[in-house]
Amino acid sequence: MNKEFIDKWHSQVKKGTLSFIVLIVLDKNELYGYDLIEKIRNQTSIEIAEGTLYPLVNRLKTDKLLDSKWVEQETGIPRKYYFLTKTGKQTLEEMKVQWKNLQKLITKLM
């Protein structure tokens, strides 16, 4: 086994699916950044740094898949919550179809 190759491949797969993962998690929840990182970590064991998450959610906002709103807290500073737009929900549904098709093809090959 070529561990270096596997590690690079795993990193690329993770990067390539991170947008999909963020959209899936936000499909049912409005979350602020840290909470989004924690939810992904807890449900997938994927470690996401803030320096990775915030540029990603900004790209998803630019693509009109996410929006955000500031929510005042009883104590502390306001938090920016992210949520899927209508276009984001439609895009996620198409991504799920594409993912299932890809999964079938790979399973068939294996």
Side-chain angles (χ1 to χ4, degrees), residues 8 22 26-27 29 34-35 52 71 81 86 106:
K8 287 178 185 175
V22 167
L26 289 175
D27 187 31
N29 309 285
Y34 180 77
D35 207 19
T52 300
V71 177
Y81 280 77
K86 182 178 177 184
I106 292 171

Side-chain angles (χ1 to χ4, degrees), residues 12-52:
Q12 290 172 341
V13 169
K14 187 172 83 170
K15 285 179 192 174
T17 57
L18 201 49
S19 295
F20 187 37
I21 291 168
V22 167
L23 293 176
I24 290 169
V25 171
L26 289 175
D27 187 31
K28 304 280 191 268
N29 309 285
E30 290 185 0
L31 299 169
Y32 63 97
Y34 180 77
D35 207 19
L36 179 56
I37 289 170
E38 285 296 303
K39 195 166 214 53
I40 291 170
R41 180 182 298 137
N42 291 337
Q43 293 182 354
T44 67
S45 300
I46 294 173
E47 296 291 328
I48 302 172
E50 289 180 21
T52 300

Side-chain angles (χ1 to χ4, degrees), residues 2-3 5 10 12-15 19 22 24 28 30 34 39 51 66 74 77 83 85 88 98 100 105 107:
N2 184 331
K3 176 134 175 55
F5 178 85
H10 182 257
Q12 290 172 341
V13 169
K14 187 172 83 170
K15 285 179 192 174
S19 295
V22 167
I24 290 169
K28 304 280 191 268
E30 290 185 0
Y34 180 77
K39 195 166 214 53
L66 293 184
E74 288 183 26
I77 61 173
F83 55 93
T85 62
Q98 296 294 327
K100 288 177 184 174
L105 292 172
T107 300

